[in-house]
Amino acid sequence: MDKKKQEHTGNKPKQQSTMEKKKKKKKQHQQNENHKSKSIHDTLPLELIHRILLRVPLRHLVRLKCVSKLWHSLISDPDFAESHVHLSAAPTHVCLLINDYSEACSVDIDTIFHGYKHATAVKEVSLPFKMKKHYDFEVICSCRGFVLLHRAPHFFVVWNPVTGSSKIVSYSHIVSRCNRKWCFAILYGFGYDASQDDYLVVVASRDKNGQDHFDCLSLRTNSWINLDSALPKTLGVRNWESCGFFLNGAIHWSSCTLGVKDYSILIFDLKEKSFSTISMPEQVMCYLKPTRLALLGGCLALYSYEYGKTNIWVMKEYKVHSSWTFYQISRGECVPLCLSNGSDIVALDPAPISTYTDLRFVEYNARGELRRINYFDYPHLQHFKYSSHGLSNSGTNYTVYTESLVSLPSDIKDKDRDKGQEEEKRPSESEGCQTGKEN
């Protein structure tokens, strides 16, 4: 009996250790399961997730909407899209090209010199609305992720290529003042008035009596405003390049003829609804060929051609004449598109006539030395020939825009209205409790 008791008591520690191991294993398994079930929202505060997403490049941000319903809701919020425009650490620059067959392609300028991303840098783009015939669409300009298109015979289309949202606006009242079916704008531009949170399209035109007019479309109110009184009497609208560029709350046009004294840049302030001018660099007056306007690195820039070279001036400080900085590219008729690494110039370079399907991009440093060059042989580019004027014999034109998720004010109103209607239809908690008590 004593032996049996000793054996029985001797087995107890072994049994206890086995039980403890099982309990530990079970507890560890539960902890692992709990860890697996935890989402990123349980680990990081929502505010921190929000701040991180604001700095994610847009090309990745669109895919991140699929992570969860919460992230989809967060990224789709108009306030988030607005903040992302200002806070994104790496804005995406895209060159949009449209040919005379209303076929479009986009080029991600930020990835064209990265070998591993080369294959996805160029892609075909579907334009908004169905085309009834060729020559329907023409690129005009861009602003904060939106591209302004002209659609025959008398329509403007404001389009966000990222979200696919678009708005079509008629300017038939301007056409009716002309003595022909088609009325081409002498000046046109597209910009954003931050004081009113409104996008504006401006058009200067001349009627059949030779009278100049200036009209402004508010996309917030969806109405045209006549601003003839804002036109300076000595403006001479035919002295300026038609396409305007938006920067710092104003639209800018460059002079294109000797009729403009001292060569100037015309400015229309969208908030004040007033015109002014700033002078071009003194060296520009030495060139007889037209000097064209561009935006490089968030600065006003001018470029012209001279004996196989491209001259470029960048205004490093807005409206500070002494800040004009000169660059020269040792190749003629390059079209500057944007700045890379703060100072390197990325440009569209005329490809050899024999390669109709090629687009050629080049990168020059601040000393005008060629750093990199890349060709794109893309099937959809067979009609995409171009010139420095933005419109070639085959009818291709282009614009550079910065991608964004921003919505038009009218779209935001519609979403808020639909949301409000849904909330009105949905019974509140208090109503539900009262109904329960009555039952």
Side-chain angles (χ1 to χ4, degrees):
M1 289 293 291
D2 294 338
K3 284 183 179 180
K4 287 182 179 179
K5 284 182 180 180
Q6 286 176 1
E7 288 176 1
H8 182 71
T9 54
N11 290 333
K12 276 187 178 180
K14 291 182 179 179
Q15 290 175 354
Q16 286 176 354
S17 62
T18 305
M19 291 288 290
E20 286 176 0
K21 285 180 180 179
K22 286 182 179 179
K23 285 181 180 180
K24 284 182 180 179
K25 192 173 182 180
K26 187 176 180 181
K27 187 177 181 181
Q28 189 175 4
H29 178 73
Q30 287 177 343
Q31 287 176 345
N32 290 337
E33 288 298 317
N34 291 336
H35 182 70
K36 286 180 181 178
S37 63
K38 277 188 176 183
S39 67
I40 191 172
H41 313 116
D42 300 318
T43 310
L44 297 176
L46 183 60
E47 183 182 351
L48 181 57
I49 295 173
H50 183 271
R51 289 169 63 184
I52 293 171
L53 290 176
L54 282 174
R55 285 158 177 80
V56 174
L58 191 135
R59 66 173 71 90
H60 305 306
L61 201 59
V62 174
R63 293 199 295 270
L64 290 176
K65 292 174 78 172
C66 303
V67 169
S68 67
K69 289 183 179 180
L70 178 62
W71 281 31
H72 185 280
S73 175
L74 182 65
I75 297 170
S76 301
D77 186 83
D79 292 333
F80 176 89
E82 189 67 32
S83 298
H84 190 266
V85 170
H86 303 288
L87 298 176
S88 176
T92 305
H93 299 93
V94 177
C95 181
L96 175 72
L97 301 101
I98 298 180
N99 66 12
D100 57 1
Y101 293 92
S102 290
E103 296 170 334
C105 77
S106 67
V107 182
D108 186 341
I109 301 173
D110 301 314
T111 63
I112 54 179
F113 298 113
H114 295 83
Y116 66 98
K117 296 179 180 178
H118 180 276
T120 58
V122 182
K123 61 183 179 181
E124 190 177 6
V125 178
S126 298
L127 292 169
F129 305 104
K130 292 182 179 180
M131 288 80 72
K132 295 181 181 179
K133 57 183 180 180
H134 297 329
Y135 309 99
D136 260 9
F137 284 100
E138 180 185 1
V139 178
I140 295 182
C141 51
S142 64
C143 170
R144 299 177 89 242
F146 290 102
V147 176
L148 182 66
L149 305 171
H150 176 263
R151 185 187 180 190
H154 46 69
F155 297 99
F156 288 121
V157 179
V158 180
W159 172 46
N160 186 327
V162 175
T163 64
S165 64
S166 60
K167 184 180 182 65
I168 187 168
V169 180
S170 170
Y171 64 93
S172 56
H173 70 288
I174 296 177
V175 176
S176 65
R177 294 198 297 245
C178 303
N179 56 0
R180 54 181 180 271
K181 184 179 178 181
W182 295 77
C183 182
F184 295 98
I186 300 170
L187 295 179
Y188 46 74
F190 175 47
Y192 176 69
D193 179 6
S195 66
Q196 300 296 322
D197 186 26
D198 195 7
Y199 290 86
L200 304 175
V201 178
V202 296
V203 182
S205 60
R206 180 162 290 172
D207 64 22
K208 56 187 175 183
N209 299 318
Q211 182 68 35
D212 292 333
H213 298 275
F214 193 64
D215 296 273
C216 176
L217 167 68
S218 163
L219 290 175
R220 175 170 284 281
T221 62
N222 198 32
S223 60
W224 286 92
I225 307 166
N226 182 270
L227 296 175
D228 288 358
S229 58
L231 278 174
K233 293 180 180 179
T234 58
L235 177 63
V237 291
R238 290 195 181 277
N239 292 327
W240 309 92
E241 288 286 344
S242 296
C243 179
F245 289 82
F246 174 74
L247 180 69
N248 290 347
I251 300 174
H252 306 74
W253 297 269
S254 65
S255 58
C256 62
T257 70
L258 296 174
V260 180
K261 186 179 180 182
D262 295 333
Y263 283 92
S264 302
I265 295 174
L266 179 67
I267 303 173
F268 179 69
D269 188 295
L270 295 176
K271 179 182 177 181
E272 302 299 329
K273 304 294 187 294
S274 61
F275 283 95
S276 62
T277 59
I278 56 177
S279 299
M280 291 184 180
E282 288 77 8
Q283 302 97 313
V284 172
M285 294 187 227
C286 302
Y287 302 102
L288 295 176
K289 290 187 177 181
T291 301
R292 295 184 175 85
L293 195 63
L295 294 180
L296 297 177
C299 300
L300 286 177
L302 298 163
Y303 64 99
S304 65
Y305 306 121
E306 174 200 15
Y307 306 115
K309 297 179 180 179
T310 301
N311 297 317
I312 301 171
W313 294 266
V314 179
M315 182 179 262
K316 294 296 182 71
E317 294 183 52
Y318 187 60
K319 290 188 176 181
V320 178
H321 189 268
S322 60
S323 70
W324 283 111
T325 305
F326 180 70
Y327 299 84
Q328 189 174 69
I329 293 176
S330 57
R331 184 170 178 84
E333 300 196 0
C334 282
V335 182
L337 300 177
C338 69
L339 290 184
S340 174
N341 301 321
S343 60
D344 297 336
I345 295 174
V346 178
L348 193 57
D349 187 28
I353 298 174
S354 58
T355 56
Y356 294 108
T357 61
D358 281 356
L359 276 182
R360 186 162 69 183
F361 293 87
V362 291
E363 185 180 72
Y364 287 85
N365 61 23
R367 296 185 297 275
E369 300 167 341
L370 179 64
R371 292 189 71 249
R372 292 183 285 188
I373 184 168
N374 212 340
Y375 293 84
F376 289 90
D377 188 3
Y378 190 68
H380 296 284
L381 299 178
Q382 58 183 328
H383 300 296
F384 285 96
K385 294 191 301 181
Y386 59 90
S387 77
S388 57
H389 300 279
L391 187 65
S392 72
N393 295 330
S394 64
T396 301
N397 47 52
Y398 63 89
T399 190
V400 176
Y401 68 94
T402 302
E403 289 187 327
S404 80
L405 296 170
V406 175
S407 300
L408 292 171
S410 56
D411 295 335
I412 296 173
K413 280 183 179 179
D414 292 340
K415 288 180 183 178
D416 291 342
R417 182 190 61 202
D418 295 340
K419 186 178 179 181
Q421 289 175 349
E422 288 179 7
E423 289 177 352
E424 286 178 3
K425 290 178 182 178
R426 192 185 305 128
S428 64
E429 291 181 7
S430 59
E431 287 175 346
C433 291
Q434 288 174 1
T435 304
K437 286 179 182 179
E438 289 174 0
N439 289 337

